[in-house]
């Protein structure tokens, strides 16, 4: 079967032996790249005991042929694929990403991994999306299972390159245009998987047990799909496709055109779900694998490098001390020259600063009389405005029956108004109107006196005096409006 896919592994090798094994069946296939195509050149299938060390040699014997690739991959249900939500990881070292993925994977794995056993993990490539939080396709299995598989392949004369989950990687088979928005369904080993692909990345992965009845299986597929196009990975049961016709599912990889219209069936040596064997040639953004070899510690943590460093430490220390001393002497000389130059600059700056301070003090002293004059001017201007407002208010309150003889401001701030009116009611109205003047706000009328007096021609008038405010000290004339009786 051919899958038109690009491959990150093609730079390293163009042919691989793919092994898919579970407790009951083992499939082996020689997968090669021919241009942009991936083809299965040989394939064999046989029963399995669940012990890979015993099943693998028997499957290779059934495959036949003298020449086969030494590089191999393993597809196994013991590896679990999940989609994790991770923070930005583009700038993180591989060790930190591995620790993060291992921590997030532990709840999804059972058995030894959850009981404290070591965990081996791998993850896909987030590409340009790695600089922001988002989904990450990852997979893992116990380190013991990884080591067991690597040893079984070694005994069979093969070099295990990677371990892939049986379900969860089929989204990598989609071409780039179809991977922008799709739901990929996989069905294998009594389980069903749905991968939601958006913008070329797997954003969600759901795994569940698959019902045995085709109708129930179709309903389960409907429950895992949303409004996106549905793709069924690999050759699918015709009954399942018929029961899911309302989803308009597409199949991938697509078969090449054939001369006959009869639907071909897989041969006895061909895996019906052969696409998993081509996963080694899939885009790294939509596939996750566990490396067969444990990740080596950084160079500075390897025992051989540490022993070499310890042996060379005395010589390195002697050379280092000499280099450090010479460097410090040169640095000290350069620093002394720079320091002397800085001292000269600072001395000149200090002298200039003192001269500026003397000029500033002289200017400040010359400004004192100006500030005093400005303050007096501001005070006089304010009093003038207040006085004009007061006189306007008094003038508006006066009438033909009231004559104002004096308006005085007393030292305590009170205002005394003296005048003559024809009637007491005129005095009361005048006092009320004057008290409403804005200039007398906060100065209510106090100590009003009214005296009745008779004129030369027998006329009667009322002399009055009223204060606005609380001052009782001798008055100081603010304005004197004198008039006759």
């Amino acid at each position: 079967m051919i899958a038109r896919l690009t491959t990150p592994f093609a730079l390293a090798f163009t042919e691989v032996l793919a092994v898919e094994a579970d407790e009951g069946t083992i499939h082996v296939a020689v997968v090669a790249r021919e241009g942009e195509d991936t083809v299965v050149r040989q394939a064999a299938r046989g029963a399995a005991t669940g012990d890979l060390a015993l099943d693998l040699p028997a499957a290779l014997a059934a495959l036949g042929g003298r020449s086969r690739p030494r590089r191999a991959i393993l597809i196994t249900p013991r590896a679990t694929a999940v989609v994790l939500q991770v923070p930005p990881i583009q700038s993180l070292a591989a060790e930190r990403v591995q620790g993060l993925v291992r921590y997030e994977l532990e709840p999804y794995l059972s058995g030894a991994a959850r009981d404290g056993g070591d965990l081996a993990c791998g993850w896909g490539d987030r590409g340009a999306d790695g600089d922001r939080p988002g989904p990450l396709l990852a997979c893992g299995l116990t380190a013991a299972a990884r080591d067991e598989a690597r040893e079984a392949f070694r005994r069979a004369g093969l070099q295990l390159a990677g371990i892939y989950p049986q379900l969860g990687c089929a989204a990598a088979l989609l071409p780039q245009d179809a991977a922008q928005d799709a739901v990929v369904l996989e069905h294998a080993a009594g389980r069903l998987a749905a991968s939601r692909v958006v913008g070329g990345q797997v954003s969600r992965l759901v795994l569940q047990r698959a019902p045995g009845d085709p109708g129930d299986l179709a309903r389960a597929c409907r429950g895992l799909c949303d409004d996106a196009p549905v793709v069924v990975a690999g050759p699918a049961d015709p009954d399942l496709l018929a029961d899911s016709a309302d989803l308009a599912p597409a199949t991938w990889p697509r078969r090449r055109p054939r001369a006959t219209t009869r639907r071909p069936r897989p041969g006895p040596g061909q895996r019906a779900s052969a696409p998993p064997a081509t996963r080694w040639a899939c885009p790294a953004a939509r596939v996750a694998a566990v490396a067969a070899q444990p990740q080596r510690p950084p160079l500075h943590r390897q025992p051989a490098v540490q022993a070499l460093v310890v042996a060379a430490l005395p010589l390195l220390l002697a050379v280092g001390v000499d280099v450090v001393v010479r460097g410090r002497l040169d640095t000290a000389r350069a620093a002394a020259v720079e320091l002397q130059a800085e001292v000269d600059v600072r001395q000149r700056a200090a002298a200039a600063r003192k001269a500026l301070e003397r000029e500033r003090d002289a200017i400040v002293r010359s400004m004192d009389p100006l500030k005093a004059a400005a303050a007096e001017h501001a005070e006089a201007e304010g009093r003038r405005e207040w006085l004009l407002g007061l006189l306007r208010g008094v003038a508006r309150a006066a009438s033909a029956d009231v004559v104002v003889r004096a308006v005085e401001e007393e030292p305590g701030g009170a205002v005394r108004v003296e005048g003559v009116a024809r009637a007491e009611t005129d005095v009361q109205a005048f006092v009320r109107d004057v008290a409403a003047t804005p200039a007398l706000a906060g100065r209510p009328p106090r100590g009003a006196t009214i005296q009745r007096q008779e004129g030369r021609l027998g006329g009667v008038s009322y002399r009055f005096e009223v204060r606005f405010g609380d001052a009782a000290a001798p008055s100081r004339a603010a304005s004197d409006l004198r008039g006759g009786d």
Side-chain angles (χ1 to χ4, degrees), residues 75-445:
I75 301 147
T76 173
R78 301 178 73 178
T80 301
V82 296
V83 172
L84 307 175
Q85 294 297 323
V86 296
I89 61 174
Q90 190 171 35
S91 60
L92 298 182
E95 284 183 322
R96 294 194 59 187
V97 178
Q98 184 178 14
L100 174 64
V101 172
R102 182 187 293 114
Y103 175 80
E104 294 290 342
L105 267 175
E106 285 181 354
Y108 294 93
L109 300 178
S110 59
R114 225 163 45 185
D115 295 337
D118 196 11
L119 178 66
C121 60
W123 58 92
D125 181 13
R126 295 197 65 213
D129 294 333
D131 58 353
R132 56 178 178 267
L136 175 67
L137 179 62
C139 68
L141 75 165
T142 63
R146 177 200 61 193
D147 297 341
E148 176 185 331
R150 185 179 66 248
E151 180 62 18
F153 275 73
R154 187 192 66 79
R155 291 181 180 180
L158 301 173
Q159 180 182 355
L160 183 59
I163 302 174
Y164 293 77
Q166 190 177 42
L167 290 176
C169 292
L173 300 174
L174 295 178
Q176 193 62 27
D177 55 348
Q180 298 307 304
D181 187 23
V183 173
V184 181
L185 296 178
E186 303 174 73
H187 179 212
R191 292 191 302 166
L192 185 65
S195 302
R196 183 67 171 92
V197 186
V198 179
Q201 298 281 343
V202 179
S203 62
R204 182 166 52 88
L205 175 63
V206 180
L207 298 172
Q208 70 176 47
R209 293 190 179 276
D213 182 79
D216 294 339
L217 182 60
R219 283 189 289 273
C221 292
R222 291 190 189 91
L224 295 175
C225 298
D226 51 22
D227 296 333
V230 177
V231 178
V232 178
D237 190 318
D239 294 335
L240 173 61
L241 295 178
D243 290 341
S244 306
D246 57 313
L247 299 175
T251 59
W252 195 267
R254 300 187 179 96
R255 295 183 180 273
R256 286 183 172 178
R258 296 178 181 268
T260 176
T261 58
R262 184 179 178 184
R263 184 165 137 3
R265 295 182 177 273
Q270 184 181 3
R271 174 76 164 101
S273 57
T278 65
R279 294 175 190 178
W280 66 280
C282 295
R286 282 175 271 134
V287 68
V290 177
Q293 297 293 335
Q295 184 177 4
R296 291 185 177 182
L299 189 62
H300 66 278
R301 294 184 183 177
Q302 295 182 13
V305 175
Q306 292 178 345
L308 180 61
V309 171
V310 170
L313 189 58
L315 178 60
L316 293 175
L317 287 177
V319 174
V321 168
D322 181 68
V323 172
V324 170
V325 170
R326 291 178 181 274
R328 288 186 177 180
L329 286 175
D330 294 340
T331 303
R333 294 189 187 99
V337 174
E338 293 181 359
L339 182 60
Q340 185 59 47
E342 185 177 352
V343 169
D344 295 340
V345 171
R346 290 190 177 187
Q347 287 177 347
R348 291 193 295 270
R353 184 171 61 251
K354 290 181 179 180
L356 291 174
E357 289 175 353
R358 289 193 294 269
E359 293 181 6
R360 180 200 62 196
D361 295 341
I363 294 173
V364 170
R365 288 192 297 272
S366 66
M367 290 179 62
D368 290 341
L370 296 177
K371 290 181 179 179
E376 292 178 0
H377 177 74
E379 182 180 0
E381 182 66 21
R383 285 189 55 77
R384 186 179 71 85
E385 294 296 330
W386 175 79
L387 182 59
L388 289 176
L390 174 63
L391 295 179
R392 290 192 191 100
V394 172
R396 283 194 298 267
S399 64
D401 297 325
V402 178
V403 177
V404 178
R405 291 187 172 179
V407 178
E408 297 177 334
E409 182 186 7
E410 298 181 344
V415 175
R416 188 180 69 85
V417 179
E418 178 185 343
V420 177
R422 290 186 178 181
E424 290 188 31
T425 56
D426 295 333
V427 175
Q428 295 171 356
F430 174 77
V431 171
R432 183 189 64 242
D433 294 342
V434 171
T437 302
L440 294 178
R443 303 182 189 185

Side-chain angles (χ1 to χ4, degrees), residues 41-81:
R41 290 180 175 172
Q42 293 177 271
R45 172 183 177 180
T49 64
D51 186 349
L52 189 61
L54 297 177
D55 298 336
L56 183 57
L60 294 177
L63 183 64
R66 296 183 178 179
S67 177
R68 66 172 67 97
R70 188 169 179 271
R71 295 284 188 105
I73 63 171
L74 174 64
I75 301 147
T76 173
R78 301 178 73 178
T80 301

Side-chain angles (χ1 to χ4, degrees), residues 14-52:
T14 58
E15 192 176 57
V16 70
L17 180 71
V19 179
E20 182 174 0
D22 53 33
E23 294 181 356
T25 310
I26 183 169
H27 307 262
V28 292
V30 176
V31 185
R33 294 192 69 248
E34 293 182 358
E36 295 182 355
D37 291 339
T38 306
V39 297
V40 178
R41 290 180 175 172
Q42 293 177 271
R45 172 183 177 180
T49 64
D51 186 349
L52 189 61

